[in-house]
Amino acid sequence: MNPQNSLPFLVAIAGPTASGKSALGVWLAEQLGGEVIACDSTQLFRGFDIGTAKPRAVERRGVPHHLIDVLEPSEVATAGGYREMALAVLEDLRRRKRLPILTVGTGLYLRALLEGLADTPQRSEELRERLRVSAEEHPSGHLHRILNRLDPQSSKRIAPADQQKLIRAIEVCLLARKPISEVHRLGRRPLEGWRAVKIGLMPPREKLYERIHARTDSMFERGWMEEVQGLLQSGPRDDSKPFDFIGYRELRAVLRKEVSLEQAREAIQQATRRYAKRQLTWFRKEASVELFSGFGDDLELQAKILRFLQSLGVEAGRCATERSV
């Protein structure tokens, strides 16, 4: 018997925003004795609920959910920090013999959990501030040109406009005294003791965009604008990281009378479509993903995915295979 087959299962459901990951995760948890672990950088923060599509109590249907509302808006979310929290949750689920079901919106966090992270230097706020000031004082593309000199390979992967990633990449290069691409190749410690099964939801592009538009309208109907207004009045600083999330930055601009509500709605839908496209690209490139065409709340697709998991040995009330040879 292959020792790998005796390990507990871990199911990861990846897919673009609005593809029905949460609905599928809850349904599979009900069928297989599991609990849901959110793998989404936006759902970590308290108070930012509607625009991050956190599943409501009625949608969770009594299934325990983990790693939602675990950070204050003033805190920093990192892949390494997520991995540490997720490892603690997995150990608890292992002890209680519950099946972990990850709903994955942030591919980097899934990769950090399963493949491990390189031993990168700690953040240097002083260096970061110098880089931000330098970017303001020079023409567009300045940071990208710096990274290209330090690490051409990484500069090809990071967009010239993505200042946050550029600053981190340059920071690592300077502090580690080697290219960040080289740092990432060294010292990774993959997740041990689990048998990961990755499922990818790939709904038709046009229907996905229709859902994105409809969900945006639904978010407004549920009080998204009021949520943002309440956060600005009594909650975190308006320069906190969650206010950079899609929708929150646009609605903040509405409240500042910088754009109209209709302009913000269109901008949110466009930004969400682009984000979904990036997610689709990421998950298609992810190794060993079993792809399913459709939405996670489709009953026929749910049954098909359940049969697939059962064919691997995942059974109700058990998170490990115990087949005899």
Side-chain angles (χ1 to χ4, degrees):
M1 180 178 179
N2 186 341
Q4 178 72 11
N5 291 341
S6 65
L7 296 176
F9 277 103
L10 176 157
V11 176
I13 303 169
T17 186
S19 62
K21 297 185 296 291
S22 295
L24 177 60
V26 167
W27 188 81
L28 288 176
E30 292 174 329
Q31 308 305 310
L32 297 169
E35 299 185 12
V36 173
I37 304 175
C39 186
D40 190 307
S41 61
T42 68
Q43 295 184 355
L44 295 171
F45 294 95
R46 299 185 185 96
F48 292 76
D49 302 329
I50 296 175
T52 61
K54 290 176 186 172
R56 293 170 287 176
V58 65
E59 295 167 329
R60 299 183 194 189
R61 302 210 293 261
V63 172
H65 282 59
H66 304 273
L67 300 190
I68 293 177
D69 295 332
V70 294
L71 293 180
E72 295 296 336
S74 58
E75 295 183 270
V76 176
T78 66
Y82 177 84
R83 188 175 201 266
E84 289 183 10
M85 292 187 290
L87 289 175
V89 173
L90 288 176
E91 192 55 39
D92 175 58
L93 297 186
R94 182 199 301 276
R95 179 179 55 80
R96 294 190 287 111
K97 294 181 170 40
R98 304 291 287 175
L99 173 69
I101 300 176
L102 281 84
T103 50
V104 185
T106 304
L108 176 62
Y109 280 19
L110 177 65
R111 191 169 293 176
L113 176 61
L114 299 184
E115 299 179 14
L117 290 166
D119 186 16
T120 55
Q122 293 294 315
R123 293 162 59 98
S124 168
E125 294 303 331
E126 180 183 356
L127 175 56
R128 284 169 169 258
E129 182 59 25
R130 293 208 309 269
L131 290 171
R132 281 190 285 265
V133 171
S134 181
E136 293 175 359
E137 294 176 344
H138 290 81
S140 175
H142 174 65
L143 294 180
H144 196 260
R145 288 190 290 272
I146 292 176
L147 180 61
N148 189 53
R149 290 198 299 268
L150 296 171
D151 186 357
Q153 183 177 341
S154 293
S155 72
K156 294 177 182 178
R157 295 187 297 100
I158 302 177
D162 196 337
Q163 180 170 298
Q164 181 178 345
K165 289 183 180 178
L166 288 169
I167 287 176
R168 178 54 177 163
I170 295 169
E171 176 186 44
V172 171
C173 289
L174 294 176
L175 296 179
R177 299 182 183 278
K178 63 180 69 173
I180 187 174
S181 55
E182 182 179 342
V183 172
H184 284 166
R185 282 195 299 267
L186 304 172
R188 291 181 183 270
R189 287 193 294 176
L191 180 67
E192 297 180 346
W194 293 92
R195 183 182 177 190
V197 180
K198 290 183 278 189
I199 292 168
L201 294 176
M202 294 290 158
R205 185 75 59 90
E206 290 305 315
K207 290 186 177 180
L208 177 64
Y209 289 171
E210 289 175 8
R211 285 209 179 192
I212 287 172
H213 291 186
R215 190 177 69 170
T216 301
D217 293 339
S218 174
M219 287 173 170
F220 278 107
E221 293 169 3
R222 288 172 49 202
W224 193 5
M225 178 64 77
E226 290 75 14
E227 177 184 280
V228 175
Q229 190 169 24
L231 287 166
L232 288 171
Q233 289 175 346
S234 60
R237 291 163 49 100
D238 66 357
D239 60 353
S240 299
K241 175 61 180 176
F243 277 115
D244 286 335
F245 296 159
I246 293 174
Y248 288 93
R249 58 177 177 246
E250 288 84 0
L251 296 188
R252 179 181 57 186
V254 172
L255 293 171
R256 290 175 173 173
K257 303 187 183 306
E258 296 171 354
V259 299
S260 69
L261 179 59
E262 192 53 39
Q263 287 173 322
R265 186 192 301 268
E266 293 177 2
I268 290 168
Q269 291 173 338
Q270 182 182 58
T272 308
R273 291 195 305 269
R274 289 174 175 170
Y275 179 53
K277 186 177 179 180
R278 293 196 301 271
Q279 288 176 306
L280 284 166
T281 300
W282 176 285
F283 295 129
R284 282 197 188 97
K285 293 180 179 178
E286 185 70 16
S288 305
V289 178
E290 189 73 20
L291 298 178
F292 292 87
S293 178
F295 292 93
D297 56 0
D298 179 83
L299 297 181
E300 290 186 7
L301 185 61
Q302 288 178 346
K304 182 177 180 180
I305 292 173
L306 177 61
R307 289 193 297 271
F308 166 72
L309 292 174
Q310 290 173 332
S311 74
L312 299 178
V314 184
E315 300 177 13
R318 297 164 62 193
C319 63
T321 55
E322 297 176 358
R323 293 178 177 175
S324 59
V325 293

